[in-house]
Amino acid sequence: MPEKFVLQEEQRLSDICLAVDRYGLDRKARLAEHDRKIKALEVDRLESVDPREKDHLTGQIQRLWQYDPAKYLIPFEQKDVPYLAGVIIHDDDPKIGRKHLLFGKQGLIDGSKVVVVDWRKAEVSKLYYEWDEGENYEEDIGPRERSGIIEKKISYGTRKRQLLTIQTGDGILVKTDGAWQEQGQQNASVVRKESVGDHRMVDIVALISRDQFKLITQKHEGCLYLTGGAGCGKTTVALHRLSYLLFNHPEIFRPQRCLVVMFNRSLCDYVRQTSTDLLTDRLPVETFHSWAAKALRSLGVSAKFSASPGKGLGPLKKQAGMYQALIEYTQVTQEPAHPVADLGAFYSREDLLQKHLTTRKIAQVARDGQSILVNEAQTPELAFDDAGILLHLIQLRRGNDQCPDALGWYDHILIDEAQDLSLIELKTLTFASSKRRSMTVCADEKQKILDFVDSEGFTAFQMDLKNQGLSSGQLDVSYRSTSQIMALASQVSGRPIGKVVNEGPDPRYHQWQNQNESLAHLKHAIKVLLSRETKSLTAIICRYKVEAISIYNAMKDLPGVRLQTSSLTFEPGVLITNAHQVKGLEFGGVILWNPTQKAYPVTEIGKNLLYVAITRASNRLAIYHHEPLTTLLRNNI
């Protein structure tokens, strides 16, 4: 790209930042002038002794309040990153001609001119999302049909008002140490993250594809089911769809009455830290269990939830047969005085459990039920897996009309990684949605990693959604991992590769004689990595938490190395964690630690878990082992 183009784009950013500042000063002045006028009128009213004059002044004050500029002069909050994408068009209308449109997370007006368009204004932004460079467009924009040619599409990477990356159809330019360098066609997400050292979920406003945009702007009623392989953007598309709904239909979708349900606390942290601009901090982001516990408290149910009660019964309670037993139980029994007593009575019905479940643990469940009945007058201690069953039991008994606003009738529910939720949990969430059933469900059965959640339940849930008028979208393009990494993931999972956007180095295998030798070489490699790539984030993914702790103890003296087995942070460095914690996350580089046959057996869950671990890597993948590899990997060396 010519130097002139870069200088023009740097000047453009400078001009827009000046417009941002002007808007802020003008807004502040107009709000201050409005307040001054009201205060002056209030003083006049206070000093007046004429009742008619007082009434006249009161009317003036009320009219001024009606036209409070704070209602329409919205603060521009994207001061440091005012826009993320741009498109240069040449319209056939000579009055428009050649024009450079900018798109950001918030619209900006400079005087009477729109200088940044909110990406959620699909009428205009579809010029960027639905057309490619060199294509002739025809679109209805406003009252007229527009036509012309798309000259150039540009994606900008900006931080603190400094332009750091520019991506067009020709490739990516990256500013490093004050100089611009061409990077060719690389993973734009990785380049952007490593240029700024911020490894939270990448802002995809500038990277949304045509297919993704069509799904984001789907109709707002009914359920949209999103599926596709790792790195295709299911979660980010779903979150941007929710943002689109909140922006375009504020009378229907209230942030505090929408719900985002993620697979684990790591993903909740990932979304919370990334999406405050996208979704506002009023929108709840929860795991299923945290949401269910809060919903129960809103219903007046006091209980302590932990992992210890009913030990070993969690897998049984997540079976689809448990849902069928629960339905029949509510049909043949009356509601006891207390919901917890109802749960205990349900678990005690061995006849119903034996009818719908095939297991030797029926008697153990019944004993669990009797224990709940004995202690229900106190604050009972229940298992986490009881929360969904108890909550759905209340829903079935009372119906949503009798549930308080804190629980029933969510305007929109986004469920991520739905394939790892039980049928009762999925039904509980569906029951909590409004009558329009506005939901977005993300799932990929090839990434199902909980072997105790049966597939029958998810299949039944899908059939239920189809009967309610399900819309579905298949995302087939992998935007995260390179083709070399996806080729390995394909051989492990048996899933076709599909289209992959990015290229990179081949995965590397490092075999050592024993654990000590493997740890020593790994520590040396990490030390070199930390000194060489100061803004990158690499994950060492172990199969088990105990392995993660062991590796951390061997490396904790290195700065930038941290152990994360629950809540995650996304600063540059090296993060040591276990496979179940990285679902839905991504890292520039991944090191798989000792993936043996025991860790990843040749089973559906073993394949899925290894597939998930491999596809967390955006650009670099290495495998360190001192024991024989799982056969899922041996044929790939």
Side-chain angles (χ1 to χ4, degrees):
M1 297 181 200
E3 183 179 349
K4 181 180 177 182
F5 172 74
V6 173
L7 292 175
Q8 287 175 339
E9 293 305 329
E10 289 182 323
Q11 185 60 51
R12 192 184 316 280
L13 177 59
S14 177
D15 292 343
I16 295 298
C17 288
L18 288 174
V20 169
D21 295 338
R22 281 195 300 270
Y23 176 84
L25 291 172
D26 180 64
R27 178 179 181 274
K28 185 177 179 180
R30 292 172 71 175
L31 293 182
E33 176 63 15
H34 178 265
D35 290 343
R36 186 194 64 76
K37 288 180 179 179
I38 287 181
K39 288 177 182 178
L41 288 170
E42 288 175 340
V43 169
D44 290 344
R45 183 176 62 179
L46 184 64
E47 294 176 349
S48 176
V49 294
D50 185 344
R52 290 184 178 180
E53 185 180 14
K54 279 183 176 289
D55 290 343
H56 176 70
L57 291 169
T58 298
Q60 286 185 292
I61 291 171
Q62 289 175 344
R63 281 191 293 275
L64 276 175
W65 277 121
Q66 288 177 354
Y67 297 100
D68 183 358
K71 295 179 180 179
Y72 59 88
L73 289 176
I74 306 300
F76 190 79
E77 297 175 347
Q78 310 302 320
K79 297 177 182 179
D80 289 340
V81 187
Y83 57 90
L84 293 155
V87 60
I88 302 174
I89 64 170
H90 197 291
D91 200 89
D92 292 335
D93 186 342
K95 293 181 180 179
I96 298 176
R98 192 173 188 270
K99 196 167 187 177
H100 194 130
L101 302 173
L102 298 173
F103 303 97
K105 289 189 282 188
Q106 189 176 359
L108 175 66
I109 297 176
D110 186 23
S112 60
K113 181 181 178 183
V114 176
V115 293
V116 178
V117 179
D118 193 303
W119 74 270
R120 293 166 293 188
K121 284 187 174 293
E123 182 183 57
V124 180
S125 64
K126 61 187 176 184
L127 288 173
Y128 177 82
Y129 294 120
E130 294 192 353
W131 299 92
D132 292 329
E133 288 186 6
E135 287 188 328
N136 292 300
Y137 64 85
E138 290 184 359
E139 291 288 0
D140 291 327
I141 301 176
R144 296 184 55 187
E145 182 179 290
R146 299 291 184 189
S147 62
I149 189 170
I150 304 293
E151 287 192 4
K152 190 178 288 293
K153 291 172 62 175
I154 310 170
S155 170
Y156 302 100
T158 305
R159 190 185 191 194
K160 295 182 179 179
R161 299 192 170 196
Q162 183 182 6
L163 192 59
L164 297 175
T165 65
I166 306 173
Q167 180 184 9
T168 69
D170 298 323
I172 302 176
L173 279 171
V174 179
K175 191 174 186 179
T176 306
D177 298 327
W180 286 94
Q181 297 178 345
E182 293 190 35
Q183 298 290 323
Q185 297 291 353
Q186 289 193 22
N187 188 324
S189 170
V190 174
V191 170
R192 185 172 298 176
K193 287 182 177 184
E194 296 195 354
S195 66
V196 300
D198 185 350
H199 294 270
R200 296 173 297 173
M201 187 184 297
V202 67
D203 196 318
I204 69 163
V205 167
L207 307 175
I208 296 170
S209 70
R210 182 182 305 185
D211 291 339
Q212 291 174 333
F213 186 71
K214 288 179 179 178
L215 292 171
I216 288 168
T217 55
Q218 275 268 8
K219 62 182 182 179
H220 62 265
E221 292 191 356
C223 178
L224 174 64
Y225 175 72
L226 296 175
T227 189
C232 66
K234 295 184 295 296
T235 303
T236 47
V237 166
L239 290 168
H240 281 73
R241 180 180 184 235
L242 179 51
S243 178
Y244 174 84
L245 296 176
L246 290 166
F247 179 81
N248 287 282
H249 305 283
E251 74 286 355
I252 298 176
F253 300 100
R254 302 159 291 175
Q256 69 275 18
R257 296 306 306 150
C258 293
L259 174 67
V260 176
V261 179
M262 308 305 290
F263 174 68
N264 56 26
R265 285 182 293 171
S266 300
L267 270 172
C268 284
D269 292 342
Y270 201 33
V271 172
R272 288 193 193 106
Q273 293 181 41
T274 300
S275 303
T276 51
D277 292 338
L278 193 65
L279 300 177
T280 82
D281 55 6
R282 291 177 293 162
L283 193 147
V285 179
E286 307 277 1
T287 65
F288 175 83
H289 290 122
S290 66
W291 168 75
K294 291 177 182 177
L296 287 168
R297 286 197 295 272
S298 76
L299 291 165
V301 178
S302 298
K304 296 178 181 178
F305 291 97
S306 69
S308 55
K311 188 175 182 181
L313 296 178
L316 176 61
K317 292 175 181 178
K318 289 183 178 290
Q319 297 303 298
M322 186 64 75
Y323 170 75
Q324 302 299 333
L326 187 65
I327 294 293
E328 185 170 348
Y329 169 74
T330 58
Q331 292 171 346
V332 300
T333 61
Q334 296 295 316
E335 181 180 5
H338 196 278
V340 175
D342 206 6
L343 179 68
F346 167 58
Y347 285 160
S348 300
R349 288 294 299 264
E350 293 188 56
D351 58 330
L352 291 178
L353 297 179
Q354 288 174 347
K355 180 178 178 181
H356 295 283
L357 295 162
T358 304
T359 177
R360 297 178 181 178
K361 295 185 176 182
I362 298 295
Q364 189 177 344
V365 176
R367 289 194 298 272
D368 194 23
Q370 290 299 315
S371 176
I372 291 173
L373 286 170
V374 169
N375 297 299
E376 63 94 7
Q378 307 165 7
T379 301
E381 187 175 357
L382 303 176
F384 285 122
D385 299 312
D386 293 326
I389 298 173
L390 176 55
L391 183 53
H392 197 47
L393 180 55
I394 296 171
Q395 289 175 325
L396 292 171
R397 291 291 196 191
R398 302 184 188 180
N400 272 356
D401 292 338
Q402 298 181 46
C403 289
D405 189 55
L407 172 60
W409 305 128
Y410 280 97
D411 299 336
H412 188 86
I413 299 177
L414 190 165
I415 308 173
D416 194 40
E417 305 290 357
Q419 74 279 351
D420 278 311
L421 289 175
S422 71
L423 180 57
I424 284 182
E425 292 166 341
L426 292 167
K427 288 284 189 178
T428 303
L429 288 166
T430 304
F431 204 92
S433 65
S434 68
K435 292 181 180 179
R436 73 173 61 90
R437 286 290 187 266
S438 183
M439 301 173 67
T440 304
V441 178
C442 304
D444 177 16
E445 294 184 77
K446 289 288 187 182
Q447 295 188 67
K448 181 179 182 295
I449 62 173
L450 299 182
D451 55 358
F452 50 81
V453 177
D454 64 354
S455 300
E456 292 180 16
F458 184 65
T459 301
F461 174 67
Q462 288 177 291
M463 292 301 298
D464 187 39
L465 292 179
K466 287 180 181 178
N467 293 334
Q468 297 177 34
L470 175 72
S471 297
S472 60
Q474 175 82 33
L475 294 167
D476 296 317
V477 181
S478 175
Y479 294 95
R480 179 196 299 146
S481 302
T482 63
S483 62
Q484 291 81 358
I485 292 171
M486 291 306 297
L488 177 59
S490 173
Q491 293 175 42
V492 166
S493 67
R495 173 185 224 142
I497 296 177
K499 182 180 178 181
V500 183
V501 172
N502 304 303
E503 296 290 326
D506 290 329
R508 301 180 66 179
Y509 293 80
H510 302 275
Q511 182 177 3
W512 311 103
Q513 294 298 316
N514 53 59
Q515 179 170 310
N516 289 337
E517 185 179 354
S518 188
L519 278 172
H521 283 88
L522 178 61
K523 185 172 184 178
H524 175 73
I526 293 302
K527 189 174 181 179
V528 172
L529 178 69
L530 289 169
S531 63
R532 183 181 299 166
E533 300 183 15
T534 57
K535 293 184 178 180
S536 68
L537 175 61
T538 298
I540 300 175
I541 301 178
C542 307
R543 173 63 181 86
Y544 307 105
K545 286 185 180 181
V546 65
E547 289 180 315
I549 294 170
S550 175
I551 292 178
Y552 174 71
N553 287 335
M555 301 193 184
K556 60 185 178 183
D557 58 316
L558 295 178
V561 173
R562 56 190 183 273
L563 173 68
Q564 305 271 202
T565 54
S566 56
S567 178
L568 297 180
T569 57
F570 304 98
E571 294 82 14
V574 174
L575 184 147
I576 304 172
T577 187
N578 62 294
H580 278 89
Q581 292 297 327
V582 296
K583 183 76 130 351
L585 307 181
E586 65 176 55
F587 309 92
V590 163
I591 297 172
L592 284 183
W593 174 257
N594 205 35
T596 64
Q597 189 79 14
K598 179 183 177 182
Y600 302 98
V602 187
T603 62
E604 180 183 357
I605 296 299
K607 291 179 181 179
N608 290 354
L609 196 57
L610 186 55
Y611 174 84
V612 167
I614 289 171
T615 54
R616 299 313 92 193
S618 297
N619 195 51
R620 304 176 299 276
L621 176 66
I623 297 168
Y624 275 69
H625 68 105
H626 51 276
E627 295 181 85
L629 291 172
T630 172
T631 53
L632 294 171
L633 290 172
R634 283 182 210 166
N635 297 330
N636 302 311
I637 300 176

